[in-house]
Structures are given as C-alpha cells and as structure tokens.
C-alpha cells in the first residue's frame, strides 16, 4: 500500500485543509502533518498576523509565546539555566527546546529508542549550558543531537555539579 501524498489536516484553529505533501520525503510526512495540526491554517495565521498589530508587534508576541513555552518545558524537564550574554539567553532556551523536542520525536517517538536511551541523551543535554552552543545548533536535525552533544567542548559545558 502506498503512503498517501494528500492529507486532510485539522488545524489548531479548527479549519480542515487538504495538504499535498508529495514534495516531502515519505518518512517526513507523518511528522509534518503533526506539525501542521499544531498550527493555525494559513488564512488564520495571516489574519492574526495582519490584524491590528504591526509585523513587529506580532513577531514580539510570537517570540514571547515561544519563550514562555521554552521556559515551561525547561522547568518541567529539569533543564539548567543557560549561561551567556543576556540577549542570547532567551534565544538559546528556545533553540534548546526546539532541538531537544525534535530529537525526542525523531529518536524516541518515531525511532527505536527506549526510555533509558532517551534519559542518557537528556542528561547529556543538561550538561551543555552555553546559550551560544544551542543557538549554533538551531538548524540541526533532531536525530543528530546525540552526536552534536558528544562533540560539545568543555567551554560549552557548565561549571555546576551535573548531578544536581
């Protein structure tokens, strides 16, 4: 049976839209459909972006929302605070949140990793506390996180006790 190329997605806003995903690799379609479902449809996204608030205000609100989600995630999963220039901390937290979440999806949810494998990666992620390192990895694939963490240098790791 062939994997479909067209999917009906119910977006967060409640609209159902048919998306042609034939231009995406077959093994990336399921994850992309979940990503689409977690977002407003294009029309609602544009309407929210253009309604009353200017692009800069909309972008600031979006960044604040992402920052809050990253902070809540860091607290929930006991991630240490990041170190670095004040301007880089929020961005670093968002990048860490996105990369670790993508890694969990790729390795544990869609991959063959069990809880022990994931717990080991999570502990390695806790040791890298330099915000700039996470920002530098912002375009990396989630499946590459383990290799990236192993390549992180001493200057990327915090000086605090990793066994909190």
């Amino acid at each position: 049976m062939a994997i479909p190329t067209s999917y009906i997605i119910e977006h967060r806003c409640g609209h159902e839209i048919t998306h042609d995903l034939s231009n995406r690799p077959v093994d990336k379609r399921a994850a992309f459909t979940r990503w689409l479902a977690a977002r407003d449809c294009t029309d609602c996204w544009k309407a929210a972006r253009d309604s009353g608030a200017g692009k800069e205000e909309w972008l600031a609100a979006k960044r604040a929302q992402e920052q809050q989600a990253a902070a809540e995630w860091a607290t929930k999963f006991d991630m240490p605070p990041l170190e670095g220039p004040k301007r880089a901390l929020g961005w670093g937290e968002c990048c860490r949140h996105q990369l670790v979440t993508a890694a969990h999806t790729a390795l544990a949810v869609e991959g063959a990793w069990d809880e022990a494998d994931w717990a080991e990666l999570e502990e390695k992620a806790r040791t890298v506390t330099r915000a700039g390192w996470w920002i530098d990895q912002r375009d990396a694939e989630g499946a590459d996180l383990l290799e990236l963490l192993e390549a992180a240098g001493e200057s990327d790791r915090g000086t605090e006790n990793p066994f909190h």
Side-chain angles (χ1 to χ4, degrees):
M1 184 168 154
I3 295 176
T5 58
S6 184
Y7 293 82
I8 298 172
I9 308 293
E10 183 175 340
H11 290 272
R12 178 177 59 187
C13 60
H15 294 118
E16 284 189 5
I17 309 286
T18 301
H19 292 274
D20 177 15
L21 301 183
S22 60
N23 62 341
R24 296 217 171 254
V26 172
D27 61 338
K28 306 266 188 213
R29 291 179 190 163
F32 189 65
T33 59
R34 283 191 300 278
W35 182 85
L36 284 170
R39 278 140 185 79
D40 290 341
C41 70
T42 303
D43 292 339
C44 290
W45 175 79
K46 285 179 181 178
R49 182 189 65 185
D50 297 338
S51 69
K55 181 179 178 183
E56 306 228 345
E57 292 170 348
W58 175 85
L59 190 56
K62 182 71 174 163
R63 285 185 178 152
Q65 183 181 33
E66 290 173 351
Q67 182 64 40
Q68 181 181 356
E72 289 171 0
W73 172 86
T75 301
K76 181 178 180 180
F77 291 101
D78 196 28
M79 291 291 165
L82 296 180
E83 302 164 351
K86 188 172 183 168
R87 285 186 64 184
L89 296 178
W91 190 15
E93 284 184 9
C94 288
C95 293
R96 176 175 64 178
H97 173 236
Q98 291 168 353
L99 184 55
V100 175
T101 303
H104 185 265
T105 300
L107 301 170
V109 175
E110 295 173 352
W113 280 31
D114 60 16
E115 285 187 38
D117 293 330
W118 179 252
E120 184 179 329
L121 182 136
E122 209 171 50
E123 281 305 314
K124 287 182 182 185
R126 284 186 183 98
T127 66
V128 177
T129 57
R130 188 174 69 85
W133 187 89
W134 292 100
I135 293 168
D136 291 345
Q137 312 314 318
R138 70 185 175 273
D139 294 326
E141 294 290 324
D144 297 335
L145 182 57
L146 179 61
E147 186 176 351
L148 293 168
L149 289 168
E150 289 174 351
E154 286 301 313
S155 63
D156 299 318
R157 300 185 190 285
T159 57
E160 293 294 318
N161 180 359
F163 302 103
H164 48 242

